[in-house]
Amino acid sequence: MDELSAEGGQVNAYGCDATDERSVAALLATVTVELGAPHLVVYAVQGFCPGTVLGTEVPAFEESWRQNCLGGLSWRAPRPG
């Protein structure tokens, strides 16, 4: 971010719980108010379970699945405006 800003780019950082539709909707509402409706949203969450599939505990697998799969659906939340 510092490098992009130094080159004259506008850089903003926002955060939300990508697995929670309300959190995503609130983030998109904030961005829309501050910058206008986004033309592109990149969903780049990474979560993984170290080890093998058979050696992975169910809670760890579920959390990884929520972040990587279910979280992508949260971005279908109604867009403001």
Side-chain angles (χ1 to χ4, degrees), residues 57-76:
E57 298 291 326
V58 171
F61 179 85
E62 181 180 18
E63 182 61 25
S64 180
W65 176 82
R66 288 181 57 75
Q67 294 170 356
N68 291 292
C69 299
L70 181 63
L73 294 176
S74 294
W75 292 90
R76 296 180 313 143

Side-chain angles (χ1 to χ4, degrees), residues 20-34:
D20 180 344
E21 285 185 78
R22 286 176 285 181
S23 181
V24 171
L27 168 70
L28 291 172
T30 298
V31 169
T32 299
V33 167
E34 292 181 10

Side-chain angles (χ1 to χ4, degrees), residues 38-64:
H39 298 283
L40 173 69
V41 175
V42 176
Y43 183 72
V45 174
Q46 180 183 11
F48 66 95
C49 302
T52 65
V53 172
L54 296 177
T56 302
E57 298 291 326
V58 171
F61 179 85
E62 181 180 18
E63 182 61 25
S64 180

